[in-house]
Amino acid sequence: MALESALNCNTITNFTSNSSSCAQPIPPPQGPMVNPYLEFDKFVFGSAIYIIIISFTTLVANGLLLVVFFFDPLKIFRNTTTYFLVGLAFVDILTAAIQEPMFATCFLMMYLGHPDTGAICSPLFEVGQYISLFAMNASFLIVLAFTVTQYIVVMSPLRYALSVTKTRVVICVLSIYLYAICFSLLSVMGVPTDIHQKCDIILHSIVMVYLTILFYILLYKAFKKKMAASENLREDNNIQNGGKDNRQTAVQRKFIIINFLLIAILFVSSQPSTILWFIHLYSNDDPNSPKVQIRFLMAENVLYLKFLLDPFVYAWRIPKYRQAPKIVLRCGREEPEAKSTFSDRVMARMSASRDTVITLNFKNITPD
């Protein structure tokens, strides 16, 4: 995002990869002077407060996730798929610690009419543009890779154990970082801005998002097939256990809810901005119109929710993740360990093929 002149224009166009300034001054009205951006200024102030709250919460949630990973008090979190979550956490922290505070600061300066807004915020918005593009694309790619890994473990745990290793996951995450950095700098390398923007929307905001949703659907079908096979096996062996049937039904219901939640968050956070971008790129709407500015502002604010919700959806909903920070804050006291010693040891000794299952909270498939 770039702000060419906050004093002359008092407007912004987009907060990820679009920059514009007021090409023509607003003609003086015939009647009393009315600021056409007065309503937009109110949204700018509200967005600044909103971003400050979102930024702080995102930092805390993802920071605690990294603390749990590096200290690993239960000795169960350094499994293969957790490295995807760590890679996602670093991207979220980068956004919350650098980009979001810069935008919030500049929004407040715009609202207050600070005389140095243009000089200070123009370079900040330009840097924020590259950070935003890198963070969003890296986040989408990591979620896609994570989902594909989940699909592999449900379809074939043996293949997962042989092909998905910690080293390969780390290389995958680093490769995603490298790709996202290179793509965000394409405009600096001479690629026309409009082509860069269209490629970003089509490739990342549409193809990648819907491909991830497709794998969520395939994952659900594979999981449902495995559950049905397990049920048939018990019937063939004449095993009558109502408790296990109820537990399996509860796990399946929980899996459906989680899958739906993941799809909903991915879709709702990404598609409003994508739709507005399509309208902006393929229509003659004035990008400096206050109404257009407000719509983009609201859509970009929704995008920030993804960085906030990532750690809650993928980690903090699991009881063991919520338990781990308490143990870290107790500085290794032995008293709480006795309450969960047996469960922790059992989980720590599970095979590598069960690691992803633990991350998805499927451990309830088998009795404790």
Side-chain angles (χ1 to χ4, degrees):
M1 174 178 66
L3 177 63
E4 298 293 338
S5 178
L7 300 178
N8 297 330
C9 182
N10 194 25
T11 182
I12 52 180
T13 306
N14 186 266
F15 312 114
T16 53
S17 53
N18 184 40
S19 61
S20 67
S21 60
C22 293
Q24 299 293 335
I26 300 175
Q30 299 297 326
M33 179 69 69
V34 178
N35 182 7
Y37 293 100
L38 182 61
E39 184 178 3
F40 175 74
D41 288 342
K42 297 178 181 179
F43 277 93
V44 165
F45 177 75
S47 294
I49 303 303
Y50 165 82
I51 292 174
I52 291 173
I53 297 173
I54 289 289
S55 174
F56 176 78
T57 310
T58 303
L59 280 174
V60 173
N62 286 280
L64 285 176
L65 179 60
L66 293 182
V67 169
V68 168
F69 172 78
F70 287 112
F71 285 93
D72 197 6
L74 300 180
K75 307 301 178 184
I76 60 174
F77 297 111
R78 294 207 176 199
N79 56 62
T80 304
T81 54
T82 305
Y83 287 88
F84 284 120
L85 303 184
V86 172
L88 201 60
F90 277 121
V91 172
D92 295 343
I93 287 176
L94 175 67
T95 304
I98 300 179
Q99 182 208 18
E100 293 178 10
M102 289 194 306
F103 285 7
T105 300
C106 288
F107 287 166
L108 288 176
M109 293 177 67
M110 290 173 60
Y111 177 76
L112 297 175
H114 194 283
D116 296 327
T117 300
I120 295 176
C121 291
S122 289
L124 292 183
F125 282 145
E126 185 175 1
V127 172
Q129 166 190 341
Y130 298 117
I131 294 177
S132 176
L133 195 58
F134 160 78
M136 189 57 64
N137 292 337
S139 179
F140 284 155
L141 277 170
I142 291 175
V143 170
L144 175 60
F146 182 74
T147 308
V148 173
T149 303
Q150 309 289 16
Y151 176 71
I152 293 175
V153 72
V154 172
M155 285 295 295
S156 179
L158 180 59
R159 181 186 301 175
Y160 161 77
L162 295 176
S163 60
V164 183
T165 63
K166 294 179 181 179
T167 301
R168 290 180 179 178
V169 171
V170 171
I171 292 176
C172 178
V173 172
L174 293 179
S175 299
I176 289 173
Y177 284 168
L178 180 61
Y179 166 80
I181 291 173
C182 292
F183 187 89
S184 65
L185 296 176
L186 284 180
S187 59
V188 179
M189 301 176 186
V191 177
T193 302
D194 59 336
I195 296 178
H196 187 202
Q197 293 171 352
K198 292 177 181 178
C199 289
D200 179 46
I201 294 173
I202 295 173
L203 182 60
H204 300 126
S205 299
I206 297 180
V207 175
M208 192 187 312
V209 169
Y210 284 92
L211 185 61
T212 304
I213 293 176
L214 175 62
F215 268 100
Y216 276 134
I217 296 173
L218 294 176
L219 176 61
Y220 163 70
K221 290 185 176 180
F223 176 77
K224 187 177 180 180
K225 184 177 179 180
K226 293 290 184 180
M227 296 290 283
S230 175
E231 184 178 354
N232 293 334
L233 180 62
R234 289 202 310 273
E235 291 178 355
D236 293 340
N237 293 331
N238 295 321
I239 298 177
Q240 300 297 329
N241 193 328
K244 287 187 177 180
D245 290 340
N246 293 335
R247 186 181 298 111
Q248 182 167 331
T249 301
V251 170
Q252 188 171 358
R253 186 186 302 113
K254 188 173 184 179
F255 178 73
I256 294 173
I257 295 174
I258 292 173
N259 246 7
F260 176 79
L261 180 63
L262 294 175
I263 292 175
I265 291 175
L266 184 63
F267 185 86
V268 172
S269 64
S270 63
Q271 295 312 292
S273 178
T274 302
I275 294 172
L276 287 179
W277 261 108
F278 260 107
I279 296 174
H280 169 67
L281 292 176
Y282 296 99
S283 70
N284 296 322
D285 289 347
D286 180 12
N288 296 316
S289 168
K291 293 183 179 180
V292 173
Q293 297 298 317
I294 291 174
R295 287 198 295 264
F296 268 114
L297 187 64
M298 295 298 100
E300 297 297 333
N301 286 341
V302 172
L303 278 174
Y304 292 132
L305 288 176
K306 183 186 182 303
F307 300 106
L308 170 64
L309 295 176
D310 279 343
F312 294 99
V313 172
Y314 293 102
W316 296 123
R317 62 179 176 79
I318 302 175
K320 288 297 179 181
Y321 275 91
R322 297 196 298 269
Q323 180 185 358
K326 299 177 183 179
I327 297 177
V328 173
L329 294 176
R330 292 190 182 105
C331 301
R333 293 180 185 175
E334 297 183 359
E335 180 181 356
E337 293 180 359
K339 299 180 181 179
S340 58
T341 300
F342 178 75
S343 174
D344 297 341
R345 288 178 180 176
V346 170
M347 295 185 68
R349 292 187 179 126
M350 286 182 177
S351 63
S353 63
R354 287 292 305 275
D355 289 340
T356 302
V357 175
I358 294 172
T359 305
L360 275 174
N361 203 21
F362 293 160
K363 57 182 178 297
N364 293 325
I365 293 177
T366 57
D368 293 335

